[in-house]
Amino acid sequence: MPKILIIGGVAGGASAAARARRLSEDAEIIMFERGQFVSFANCGLPYHIGGDIKDRSKLLLQTPESFLARFNVDVRVMNEVVAINREAKSVTVRNLVDGSEYQESYDFLLLSPGASPIVPPTTGIDNPLTFSLRNIPDMDRIINAIQSNKPSHATVVGGGFIGLEMMEAFHQLGIQTALIEMADQVMTPVDKEMAGFVHQEIRGKGIDLRLSTALEAVNQHDKGLTLSFNNGESLETGLLIMAIGVRPETTLARAAGLKIGELGGIWVNDEMQTSDPFIYAVGDAVEEKDFVTGKQTIVPLAGPANRQGRMAADNMLGANETYQGTQGTAICKVFDLAVASTGKNEKQLEREGISYEKVYVHTASHASYYPGAEVVSLKLMFAPETGKILGGQAVGKDGVDKRIDILAVAQRAGMTVEQLQHVELTYAPPYGSAKDVINQAAFVATNVMKGDIKAMHYHEIETLGDDQVLLDVRNPGELEAVGRFPNAINIPVDQLRQRLDELPKDKEIVVACQVGLRGNVAYRQLVNNGFKAKNLIGGYRTWKTAFC
Amino acid sequence: MPKILIIGGVAGGASAAARARRLSEDAEIIMFERGQFVSFANCGLPYHIGGDIKDRSKLLLQTPESFLARFNVDVRVMNEVVAINREAKSVTVRNLVDGSEYQESYDFLLLSPGASPIVPPTTGIDNPLTFSLRNIPDMDRIINAIQSNKPSHATVVGGGFIGLEMMEAFHQLGIQTALIEMADQVMTPVDKEMAGFVHQEIRGKGIDLRLSTALEAVNQHDKGLTLSFNNGESLETGLLIMAIGVRPETTLARAAGLKIGELGGIWVNDEMQTSDPFIYAVGDAVEEKDFVTGKQTIVPLAGPANRQGRMAADNMLGANETYQGTQGTAICKVFDLAVASTGKNEKQLEREGISYEKVYVHTASHASYYPGAEVVSLKLMFAPETGKILGGQAVGKDGVDKRIDILAVAQRAGMTVEQLQHVELTYAPPYGSAKDVINQAAFVATNVMKGDIKAMHYHEIETLGDDQVLLDVRNPGELEAVGRFPNAINIPVDQLRQRLDELPKDKEIVVACQVGLRGNVAYRQLVNNGFKAKNLIGGYRTWKTAFC
């Protein structure tokens, strides 16, 4: 029976160890972890800092002892593998407690070393008030700094998952918080116009959000840190979190001469096998296949890591399971909002040269007459010829995870937007609508695909020509309350039929309403009456948010 | 341009009218509704009675005036179509206000008459304290009876959607409530062992739930009603709701000689066309194709009705859209629980002679270390040879709608349980788990399919033979706290490896734990050590609930 060594005792490594034992009682399984902890809840760290998860011990899902008892896995914490000797099929391990080194042989080796936070070589960044967050000791250090220094102000650099979660944690602790992001948006898995909702939410909570801003220098003084930015601004803060991203941990793999992919992750085939057939690799350290493009990608997420670990164990023990590619389905809580996405975003589709069409809907999370309904703002991208789903994004206070999960499954199953119209989802007033957000998005997408709607998009509104007229079909009261487009004429949809003669037949009428639904009614009226027209997909709400 | 008449102004009819107008500005569209209201929120009625929806006007989604203004549809409420004259392509309409009659011709006619409550010919049931609930006037009558009579006790007969919702409404109003159901379970779309969770919830709220009980007679007296049941029991109540089901409204269709299906609904083809090509029919009145069996079915649900209406409009105006069958995806809120299902249940699969396998999982709705996680109890049925999803059921306090929606989409896309393992769902601690409920169910199902688990089911536990041993691998403390199986021996999973010699090699070891997960770990240990074994799928929790 094989002897399996596993490097890394969190998500992918721990999943592989448990699965391997279920498959084989006789396999010898040793798991090395250079840290003190295995199988901890790394996604929960910011929530313990912020106080949502009160009990630190809840983050420690398994111990070496519990792993041994249940799975007969020899877990060696504080043991760092420092070299892989492929010829000898052995690894060199350093015991970090006493500094001793030893060899351990393997039949199969699994690399699950994860990724490490990127810390740029910014002047002054190496100071005791600057932290990144990746593991339990990192978390403990941050909590300790908060408790010891009682900072009145904290700064987070980086608007990705960890950055956003740390921002919220500080805010919950009553600490004034700044969020610094080099790009012009946070949460880059979604596109900028969708991130606009997040920007509104963040600013609405009093966070000092600075986009398109890069940290250039850190200056420690006796009262804290002075941060200097590329735009000449500066900021006094008491604590700095660097959360600009992670890079695959490939030191060991490189030293062992394993193939590294073009993106800098460990190369693996569909069976999670590295260029050495006796060595597998999974999780944040590897390059995997993108579900949409088929190209290599790096997606450091827990779900893929866990499933890859399970699959690598299958394959080490004789199966031929193949990884089906990563969509990158992801979600983040940002105060009262959830923001989520699956598949490719528009930036990526453009970069890849993949042709796409897109629609936006803003629809109640459940029957609007039942209490608690919130708007789900959803963006759906699809192939204009085949209708295949390319990606989806959603933001809102309720039901966002559900809609992106539905799109993720539909995309993985190869569904088209035409087929998506027919999906039959749970409906009762507390949970959904007879025509769900998803059905509605699919209706609009199919209308666009079939040419039943000519789509105008928010970014085209700024550059309307002399041969185009912007027609706002909302009610005058709404324009007062919500805001108006510059240079639009206003005829409420319910008066349009009687007032068609106010519109020019020789110009293209660009119809707009709040979300696109009444716009479609008006658009169809116009087209069926012989006008040239387009409908602003997503309406005022998408247009307005894009510039937040 | 065609003249389209629509009979029925709620879900299917209203959807068809709006869609027809969007497709054609010139079509003449007249919608007849014998009631006072069109396009009202029939699914919201119980929630207004119970007080969740405070404002009655919220239930009135459209008025004849708003329909006219927006869609140029001539809506005639209090106008009942009393005959269809197919030869003449006209209908006879009675104006219910003045009793006059008139003819209206059509090019296309759409029937969307809905269904009517079944009221059995029970002795004494025709009394002023007995109601059914289908429309706004029904609702108003019930509210009026509650306000006038101030009943201290109400009885609901029928444990379907409306019955359960009315039970909750009465409970919320502080009225003592009895729920009477003739079958041995409420909520028949799910199987009995899943309904057990609902029975616990209902009884836990102090409802007098009486299963396998049929109403035989009603006796009105000066203080209320005396109800007599088939088991000899009787009950004093102040108000009685009959909610035992609905039957398709086919009076007009039958009189016009349209084909009626074997199940008693209006027969339509995949384009929602009746046996008369100029007459379409949609919604609760029709028989439609079952997505799984391909046979005719009657599923009175709002989602299909709305989509069918939209599609019928497409087809009347020249398209060839085909209805893709009904899965029957449904959900009901029962106090703090949601109970939901899609596809076929086990009772139906057995009746149809479709071979199936099933698995149960009980898994946290999101990361268990993050506050607010609740157990989702999920049942997944699939074809044992192909792995195709046949149906799913779920019960829990959080995340139930999402999981059934995911299964509904996966089933519609033709996914197998093997493919379902790979779905990549949104994960962050507040929303899900790195291995979601759905992934876990798919893992177990795939294990069963591949023979990696031999499944034992809850109903087999009662009839274990002398050559079988029931092994409970939970901790002794759990047995104390949660309850135990009769006749099980107890070896905690984490001690099993050391205590294998306590188990007989010549008998089949039936392993059980709380939900099936540790059972699988123990099961694999036993099998890999040469024991014959089975794992109790869904564990103690499924077994226990099945008898609630």
Side-chain angles (χ1 to χ4, degrees), chain B residues 18-145:
Chain B
R19 175 71 172 175
R21 176 58 71 219
R22 289 200 300 275
L23 295 174
S24 165
E25 192 59 20
D26 304 327
E28 188 180 349
I29 307 173
I30 306 174
M31 188 159 79
F32 301 99
E33 169 57 48
R34 64 181 170 187
Q36 254 183 289
F37 303 97
V38 286
S39 202
F40 62 91
N42 42 8
C43 303
L45 305 179
Y47 298 103
H48 180 55
I49 296 173
D52 282 327
I53 300 171
K54 304 250 176 279
D55 183 359
R56 176 176 179 277
S57 70
K58 282 203 171 180
L59 300 172
L60 307 172
L61 307 177
Q62 295 276 357
T63 61
E65 295 70 32
S66 71
F67 239 105
L68 178 66
R70 181 151 310 170
F71 296 110
N72 191 23
V73 170
D74 179 359
V75 179
R76 302 185 187 169
V77 293
M78 303 296 285
N79 274 247
E80 181 174 12
V81 174
V82 294
I84 302 169
N85 321 302
R86 288 168 55 193
E87 291 283 308
K89 289 179 79 178
S90 76
V91 296
T92 306
V93 188
R94 183 176 299 143
N95 180 328
L96 298 181
V97 178
D98 61 15
S100 64
E101 287 196 358
Y102 62 96
Q103 305 287 111
E104 198 71 61
S105 68
Y106 63 79
D107 294 305
F108 289 107
L109 175 64
L110 175 68
L111 307 180
S112 179
S116 47
I118 298 172
V119 180
T122 308
T123 312
I125 203 153
D126 190 13
N127 69 65
L129 299 178
T130 298
F131 304 89
S132 44
L133 177 61
R134 192 71 192 165
N135 53 36
I136 300 270
D138 289 344
M139 178 186 77
D140 291 342
R141 276 191 287 271
I142 293 169
I143 292 174
N144 185 49

